[in-house]
Amino acid sequence: GNEGESDSGNGSSNESGNNEASSGDESGGNDENDSAEASGEAVTLQLGHNLAEDHPVHLGLERFAEVVDEESDGTMEIDIYPNAVLGDEREVLEQVQGGGVDLTKVSASALEGFASQYAVFSLPYVFEDEEHFFEAMNSETTQNLFEETEEQGFIGLTWYDSGARSFYTQDTPIEHPDDLEGMRMRVMDSQTQIDMMEALGGAPTPMPYNEIYTGLQQGVVDGAESNPTALTNGNHGEVAKAFSFDEHARIPDLLVVSADAWNELTDEQQEIMNTASEESTEYQIELWAEAVDEAMVEAEEEMGVEFHYPDKEPFREAVEPMHEEYRQDENIAELMDAFEELR
Amino acid sequence: MINVISRIKTTINQSIMIVASVLTVLLVISALWQVISRFIGMPSTFTEELLRFMLIWVAFLGATYAFGSREQLAIIFLKNKLRGRPAFSLQLLIDIIVIVFVFAVLVVGGLDISSITMNQVSPILGIPMGYIYYILPISGILIIFYQVINIFENIIGLKDPDRTDLDEGGQH
Amino acid sequence: MDIAVQGALLLFGSFFLLLAIGVPISISIGIASLSTVILTLPLNTILFTAAQNFVGGINSFALLAVIFFILSGSIMNNGGIAIRLVNLAKIIAGRLPGSLAHTNVVGNMLFGSISGSAVAAAAAIGSVMSPMQEKEGYKKSYSAAVNIASSPIGLLIPPSGALIIYSLVSGGTSISALFMAGYLPGILMGLGVMFVAYRIAKKEDYKTQVTLPLREKFSVILQAVPSLFMIVVVIGGIVGGIFTATEGAAVAVLYSLILAIVYKSLKFSDVPKIMRETVVMTGIVLFLVGASSVMSWAMAVTRIPNAISDAILGVSQNEIVILLIIMFTLLVIGTFMDLTPAILIFTPIFLPIVTTIGVDPVHFGIIMVFNLAIGIMTPPVGSALFVGCSVGGVTIEAVIPTLIKIFTVLIILLAMVVFIPQISLIIPELLGLL
Ligand code: NA
Ligand code: NA
């Protein structure tokens, strides 16, 4: 346990008001920070997320905290709580909405239930490749989307790369959608993921993340889908030996901030947060690429996982009817068109 | 008066037990359906979420009932040492502590979280999450009701020490 | 003072104070948690976050195992399964001094191999055994203590709700490996209890049962086969990948219902009693789980887990010392905290520490459950103790002296399980699950 490393001096910082609700009261200001009067009152913001401390996104968030600290001359502090200690993604997001927590990292797929247009990121083959994905995530369209949820109590700050999701099974490679026929494939708890799996011909099987390992080991499910780091971080490579890069979805992680907390920040402070989030994204993208490379090497050499590279075209064709269906939601259609233009 | 109160209590007891029993049977059926449906190659996609939500409701209903019947786990060492008025006062203090906590967290906090999450829908069933959280204020109000009855019964017990049947003493 | 230390003092201080005056444990946990987070958070956010945690703690698929094992245990308790297992246990253990006590232990082991609840075992086997033992002139305190001490064996011998929950909270440790790892420590626990029972029986000169003629033995075995076939159905179904461990608990409900109908020992009029038992016990356990989730959150916010792990690693870097500290801490926790919430709160705190010193997560799961299984038979809070005393018709004070003798042996066995990983890991290794 070295959670404490992520943030210096968490002990004393907690004593002052540490979130938006109390940063305005008499205990919120630290008079000692006169040097930083330009950035307004000192604030400590809480950031909770569900990933381990060696995860690239956590490291990205640490960079975010560092830059915020530097740029604000120490008057702004980000207190990070990793490992889902404040709750799972949905729960921490609820706390962000209610003002109990200031910031959180959520998968875009977890946002579907809060703002339906976010389903666009969970649709298969919305992005052509990594380049297109990056382009789309950095576009004005996404920036506008980030701001749309202010009424729901949170605002998107930036995104982090979570790679491309592909299928992996005990031993049968998925070279073509036909190979999914009759396969019980674990999917995340979300309607888009169920629809995707049905569109591709597999039997969607929702299952808690923590049950996947045993599920694959005993054959309760025939396969699952994620990016290659699941093979090593979740040890799934011990029980799933065929990984097929069909790269059906790229679902980003998003850094969101409570709308109340955001609106209590001064313009300078908001600027600092924006600068820091941009920098952290650039940093995280590099770390992510490294992590995927390392995971693949480890999975191949130490776990004996075989990687397969199927032709993606048949997969793309199979999900076209699904795209049409989701386009009936105007917001999603608009987003898809905007992303399409960036191809 | 005693009769009216005990009749209300019995009605609530029975209602809780009927709802919770039905949910428990549904839990078993849904879990088995999840197994069968997967076995025949058409895995059920809704049961996983449904099961968790039903479990939450059963748990709170069962816990509420256990407050009413004073079966919640507690250490009764001190209570057993006392008799008469001191015993009554201690029990009153405990009951008030329970009421304050339950009111603050289950009722106030529960209504808060329900309203925060009313616009959020669950990923599979599309139920507003606020409805799931409604079990908090519901069970909170029922627990407070039970605690008040328990206090009332203790007052009668104090006046009439022979009626030991009224306070079973909270442990099993 | 450091906020974590302040928080920890407030947390544990207010908890023990409330507990001591008799406030329900779940409420004590809740209030202690709130009094800790109030150091760092404003009240309005505390209340809804605590409420959310109460639900969030229960909103977990693995916890379905709790209600299913309570329900199947309650059906088995009413369904004539216990008596058939006891008859079989008599054949297995009937030739030792104090044979009925050994029968009780073996009965609990057999019952435990089809049930995942200690309380159900204590009630089911204990209520069959205690009248028999009383008739033979055994002291009530002796037979109750033996029943209590052997009732948690089913938490180690699969299927086990406790191990399912550990698997979840430890981040997906293989449940098949955990289940297979539980067999030897479970059997060891049973032998430990039998060892003490044997010594006392010799001293008290308790009788040995007459052995049955071969034909009767055969009939007894035949009668127990349908009950024990549940092992094949439930464990086989889990290992064979037909259902998950949690779903297996629901299959156990179905199977015990079928058995009760086949044995014609379940009346329709028993149903309300079974439902009441199940709903109330589930409510009590899961409300504790919800409250514990509030406590976990309160501890995380005030960084108490970091402080605990710093404190442990500050005492020593030596793995034996670290394991001893954790073992001792869990024994203390087990005295006042129920098994399920203790697993949920303390696994995330201790597992990262022990994995850094090279302990396998499967091994640690067995350590946790063995440790906390002792806790459920100790006062002041012990579900197996309460139920065992109530079916045995004795007071808690009366069983304590005998239980202390058994604890001595169990703690030695616990130390063996802690320091000899092979006891836990050999079977899953042989089966290729590790
Ligand atoms: Na068991
Ligand atoms: Na105990």
Side-chain angles (χ1 to χ4, degrees):
Chain A
N2 46 6
E3 284 170 35
E5 281 174 16
S6 60
D7 46 330
S8 51
N10 59 63
S12 57
S13 67
N14 276 327
E15 282 166 28
S16 60
N18 63 347
N19 68 17
E20 44 77 29
S22 58
S23 61
D25 68 25
E26 67 287 343
S27 70
N30 284 351
D31 322 272
E32 59 199 285
N33 293 314
D34 284 350
S35 60
E37 58 205 10
S39 352
E41 275 185 299
V43 272
T44 303
L45 300 171
Q46 285 187 311
L47 190 167
H49 70 82
N50 66 340
L51 300 168
E53 288 137 294
D54 53 359
H55 194 284
V57 170
H58 176 79
L59 301 173
L61 293 168
E62 275 188 353
R63 170 57 66 92
F64 170 72
E66 271 167 37
V67 177
V68 166
D69 180 64
E70 282 163 21
E71 295 283 311
S72 68
D73 289 331
T75 59
M76 294 174 74
E77 193 178 1
I78 309 291
D79 222 348
I80 303 178
Y81 296 85
N83 290 318
V85 292
L86 300 183
D88 65 21
E89 286 191 315
R90 180 184 61 75
E91 287 164 353
V92 179
L93 194 56
E94 288 172 5
Q95 292 171 34
V96 166
Q97 289 182 302
V101 172
D102 306 303
L103 295 145
T104 187
K105 182 277 336 167
V106 283
S107 166
S109 72
L111 282 181
E112 283 171 38
F114 294 78
S116 59
Q117 63 270 38
Y118 269 98
V120 73
F121 294 108
S122 305
L123 298 180
Y125 298 111
V126 165
F127 306 112
E128 175 77 21
D129 52 20
E130 190 176 75
E131 205 185 326
H132 178 217
F133 170 67
F134 287 178
E135 193 94 2
M137 291 313 295
N138 289 327
S139 68
E140 210 154 303
T141 310
T142 304
Q143 197 52 51
N144 292 338
L145 178 62
F146 281 171
E147 283 156 24
E148 271 173 25
T149 50
E150 185 170 351
E151 233 170 70
Q152 278 99 308
F154 61 89
I155 298 166
L157 272 183
T158 189
W159 60 279
Y160 297 114
D161 192 6
S162 195
R165 302 180 72 88
S166 295
F167 294 117
Y168 53 98
T169 62
Q170 270 195 340
D171 43 24
T172 336
I174 308 297
E175 301 278 11
H176 188 275
D178 292 349
D179 296 336
L180 285 165
E181 188 65 46
M183 296 274 262
R184 290 169 303 221
M185 302 295 289
R186 185 268 173 176
V187 292
M188 292 188 286
D189 256 358
S190 120
Q191 199 53 53
T192 49
Q193 299 305 293
I194 292 171
D195 293 345
M196 174 200 73
M197 195 57 78
E198 277 172 354
L200 289 171
T205 314
M207 177 182 264
Y209 180 81
N210 285 341
E211 288 194 7
I212 301 177
Y213 180 91
T214 314
L216 285 167
Q217 188 176 39
Q218 304 315 139
V220 175
V221 287
D222 302 308
E225 51 86 56
S226 187
N227 65 72
T229 62
L231 297 172
T232 50
N233 292 346
N235 287 326
H236 297 175
E238 288 176 7
V239 287
K241 303 297 182 191
F243 191 98
S244 311
F245 279 101
D246 64 293
E247 303 193 310
H248 50 262
R250 294 174 187 273
I251 309 179
D253 275 342
L254 305 175
L255 177 61
V256 303
V257 59
S258 144
D260 289 347
W262 182 254
N263 292 329
E264 287 206 9
L265 295 176
T266 63
D267 289 350
E268 285 96 325
Q269 286 173 328
Q270 293 185 349
E271 199 45 49
I272 289 171
M273 298 274 281
N274 284 329
T275 312
S277 45
E278 268 171 46
E279 249 183 74
S280 69
T281 300
E282 283 168 29
Y283 176 69
Q284 188 271 343
I285 289 174
E286 280 170 39
L287 287 184
W288 179 261
E290 283 168 31
V292 170
D293 288 345
E294 279 169 28
M296 284 177 63
V297 170
E298 190 188 332
E300 192 160 30
E301 289 175 4
E302 285 168 37
M303 296 168 148
V305 176
E306 281 186 29
F307 292 101
H308 304 266
Y309 299 86
D311 175 15
K312 291 174 199 160
E313 216 35 55
F315 291 91
R316 283 207 184 96
E317 280 164 25
V319 300
E320 262 165 29
M322 181 188 172
H323 279 195
E324 288 316 306
E325 209 175 295
Y326 275 80
R327 275 180 173 278
Q328 285 172 10
D329 180 325
E330 264 174 51
N331 292 325
I332 291 181
E334 247 173 63
L335 287 166
M336 285 175 79
D337 289 339
F339 290 159
E340 198 71 30
E341 276 174 30
L342 296 168
R343 264 180 205 255
Chain B
M1 184 66 180
I2 300 169
N3 278 337
V4 176
I5 290 173
S6 76
R7 210 175 304 149
I8 296 173
K9 189 173 172 180
T10 311
T11 312
I12 293 180
N13 275 346
Q14 284 172 346
S15 315
I16 288 179
M17 211 35 84
I18 289 168
V19 175
S21 303
V22 170
L23 286 173
T24 304
V25 172
L26 288 176
L27 278 174
V28 178
I29 294 172
S30 311
L32 293 173
W33 170 243
Q34 185 165 301
V35 175
I36 296 165
S37 68
R38 196 178 47 238
F39 194 73
I40 60 176
M42 298 158 39
S44 147
T45 53
F46 70 94
T47 39
E48 204 260 355
E49 192 172 281
L50 181 69
L51 280 161
R52 280 187 285 115
F53 292 167
M54 290 197 297
L55 180 69
I56 293 168
W57 275 65
V58 174
F60 275 94
L61 291 173
T64 303
Y65 187 98
F67 274 103
S69 55
R70 287 203 185 282
E71 283 172 273
Q72 286 288 348
L73 288 178
I75 295 173
I76 52 160
F77 179 78
L78 185 60
K79 245 187 279 180
N80 284 349
K81 292 257 157 194
L82 302 175
R83 289 280 171 275
R85 194 160 272 283
F88 170 79
S89 308
L90 179 66
Q91 188 57 57
L92 185 66
L93 174 68
I94 294 169
D95 288 340
I96 290 171
I97 289 175
V98 171
I99 290 175
V100 170
F101 177 82
V102 164
F103 180 74
V105 173
L106 300 197
V107 180
V108 176
L111 286 172
D112 245 12
I113 190 69
S114 304
S115 76
I116 290 171
T117 56
M118 210 36 102
N119 292 321
Q120 182 209 143
V121 295
S122 73
I124 309 275
L125 298 168
I127 304 172
M129 285 305 290
Y131 290 156
I132 311 299
Y133 284 115
Y134 265 156
I135 189 62
L136 288 161
I138 291 173
S139 106
I141 287 164
L142 289 174
I143 293 171
I144 292 171
F145 172 80
Y146 276 138
Q147 290 297 111
V148 171
I149 290 183
N150 285 340
I151 292 173
F152 190 78
E153 287 177 345
N154 279 358
I155 293 172
I156 298 167
L158 189 70
K159 287 185 183 146
D160 181 5
D162 295 335
R163 293 197 54 149
T164 48
D165 57 310
L166 289 172
D167 181 12
E168 315 254 304
Q171 190 175 73
H172 78 156
Chain C
M1 206 189 325
D2 187 46
I3 195 102
V5 177
Q6 246 181 57
L9 287 178
L10 256 175
L11 185 84
F12 295 111
S14 52
F15 174 62
F16 285 116
L17 178 70
L18 292 163
L19 210 57
I21 66 169
V23 175
I25 300 168
S26 48
I27 303 291
S28 305
I29 292 176
I31 295 175
S33 309
L34 297 196
S35 66
T36 305
V37 279
I38 205 110
L39 292 175
T40 63
L41 295 175
L43 187 66
N44 59 331
T45 72
I46 286 178
L47 293 185
F48 85 77
T49 313
Q52 183 208 40
N53 267 290
F54 241 106
V55 168
I58 305 170
N59 188 10
S60 152
F61 193 74
L63 288 173
L64 284 162
V66 171
I67 186 168
F68 290 150
F69 280 132
I70 290 174
L71 178 56
S72 70
S74 185
I75 294 171
M76 288 183 218
N77 188 3
N78 284 277
I81 293 166
I83 182 72
R84 288 169 175 83
L85 293 180
V86 163
N87 288 339
L88 177 64
K90 264 188 199 162
I91 301 180
I92 298 173
R95 305 178 70 169
L96 296 161
S99 58
L100 284 179
H102 303 294
T103 303
N104 193 333
V105 176
V106 174
N108 270 330
M109 290 163 83
L110 293 173
F111 195 85
S113 69
I114 59 173
S115 146
S117 152
V119 169
I125 302 295
S127 56
V128 174
M129 289 309 299
S130 70
M132 287 188 200
Q133 297 184 77
E134 202 180 346
K135 211 158 54 180
E136 295 267 327
Y138 289 28
K139 269 190 197 143
K140 270 186 178 178
S141 60
Y142 168 76
S143 35
V146 169
N147 179 44
I148 290 163
S150 55
S151 65
I153 294 173
L155 300 173
L156 287 161
I157 295 182
S160 159
L163 289 173
I164 293 174
I165 289 158
Y166 172 82
S167 159
L168 165 94
V169 71
S170 65
T173 311
S174 163
I175 188 66
S176 312
L178 282 165
F179 272 13
M180 294 305 127
Y183 273 112
L184 284 185
I187 291 169
L188 212 55
M189 186 184 238
L191 292 176
V193 179
M194 285 168 82
F195 173 76
V196 181
Y198 172 82
R199 304 244 323 217
I200 299 175
K202 267 195 104 169
K203 213 171 86 196
E204 302 275 336
D205 206 17
Y206 289 147
K207 270 184 287 184
T208 304
Q209 290 265 235
V210 242
T211 51
L212 290 173
L214 196 65
R215 183 185 296 182
E216 273 179 54
K217 272 188 190 169
F218 188 71
S219 134
V220 164
I221 293 170
L222 211 61
Q223 290 247 339
V225 163
S227 300
L228 290 175
F229 191 68
M230 195 153 158
I231 302 174
V232 180
V233 173
V234 175
I235 303 296
I238 293 168
V239 174
I242 296 170
F243 37 77
T244 66
T246 311
E247 292 163 351
V251 175
V253 172
L254 179 67
Y255 194 89
S256 53
L257 199 62
I258 292 171
L259 275 184
I261 292 167
V262 168
Y263 287 155
K264 292 196 182 74
S265 48
L266 186 68
K267 294 188 291 292
F268 194 73
S269 56
D270 294 331
V271 173
K273 182 176 152 240
I274 290 174
M275 293 315 291
R276 185 193 183 282
E277 248 175 47
T278 304
V279 168
V280 170
M281 211 185 290
T282 302
I284 292 170
V285 173
L286 293 187
F287 198 71
L288 268 170
V289 167
S292 307
S293 152
V294 178
M295 186 182 245
S296 291
W297 162 70
M299 287 166 83
V301 168
T302 43
R303 310 256 185 207
I304 293 174
N306 298 11
I308 293 178
S309 96
D310 287 351
I312 291 178
L313 294 169
V315 173
S316 170
Q317 299 281 336
N318 179 299
E319 37 186 289
I320 295 179
V321 178
I322 292 174
L323 282 171
L324 279 173
I325 295 173
I326 290 177
M327 192 180 119
F328 178 75
T329 312
L330 285 172
L331 282 173
V332 173
I333 289 163
T335 58
F336 59 83
M337 190 169 262
D338 202 34
L339 179 108
T340 308
I343 291 176
L344 289 169
I345 294 181
F346 292 99
T347 303
I349 297 179
F350 291 144
L351 185 62
I353 303 177
V354 299
T355 46
T356 59
I357 57 169
V359 175
D360 190 293
V362 171
H363 179 206
F364 190 64
I366 303 299
I367 296 178
M368 287 281 292
V369 174
F370 199 118
N371 226 315
L372 295 168
I374 297 177
I376 67 170
M377 35 176 135
T378 68
V381 181
S383 43
L385 176 74
F386 298 159
V387 173
C389 285
S390 124
V391 297
V394 281
T395 62
I396 291 172
E397 289 78 8
V399 292
I400 291 299
T402 318
L403 270 180
I404 286 175
K405 286 182 195 150
I406 302 177
F407 288 153
T408 322
V409 173
L410 289 184
I411 288 169
I412 293 169
L413 291 178
L414 171 63
M416 284 171 62
V417 168
V418 170
F419 293 108
I420 312 175
Q422 287 80 4
I423 297 175
S424 310
L425 301 182
I426 187 140
I427 297 183
E429 261 166 21
L430 286 175
L431 294 173
L433 292 167
L434 279 178

